[in-house]
Amino acid sequence: MVFNLVLTGIRAYVVDIASKRVDVELSSRIMEQVLDLRMESRPVSWAPRLQPALLRVRARLHRLGQPDHAGGPALRAAVPGRAGLISPWMVLPPLVAIVVILVVSLFSLARVET
């Protein structure tokens, strides 16, 4: 049983890797044919030119004492009150839905048994 599980996992991994490679190759060939453009001669991306501007913004945020990652002081200052706590009113609809589903399922089960 364990041997079957291991073989199934290995097979799934190999199929996943092979399908990713085939997907990349086929999509590249299709794009080359549709656009009549070789992927080797495609235009240079604009992302490297954007990197210095992003580094300047990051440096400015650090100088202001506000890290650029989520949950930093800037985010905490922007969320007033009980940041991170869920309001009781937001919990009420799922609880009501759960109770309704349980009641309906119990009634339908009782109906089927009779």
Side-chain angles (χ1 to χ4, degrees), residues 10-91:
I10 291 172
R11 183 182 66 210
Y13 175 76
V14 169
V15 168
D16 188 42
I17 295 296
S19 65
K20 285 180 184 178
R21 288 181 183 171
V22 168
D23 183 41
V24 169
E25 182 64 31
L26 286 177
S27 63
S28 175
R29 286 185 186 180
I30 290 171
M31 289 302 290
E32 286 176 359
Q33 290 178 359
V34 168
L35 298 176
D36 195 25
L37 174 71
R38 306 293 298 172
M39 293 309 282
E40 295 85 21
S41 62
R42 68 181 185 271
V44 178
S45 174
W46 54 269
R49 289 179 278 174
L50 185 64
Q51 188 174 8
L54 292 175
L55 290 176
R56 285 193 303 271
V57 169
R58 179 178 285 171
R60 187 172 299 151
L61 285 173
H62 281 290
R63 278 196 305 262
L64 293 173
Q66 300 173 345
D68 56 349
H69 60 278
L75 180 64
R76 281 190 224 112
V79 179
R82 300 175 298 178
L85 296 178
I86 297 175
S87 168
W89 296 109
M90 295 299 291
V91 175

Side-chain angles (χ1 to χ4, degrees), residues 105-114:
S105 62
L106 286 175
F107 278 125
S108 61
L109 182 63
R111 190 173 183 186
V112 169
E113 289 178 352
T114 59

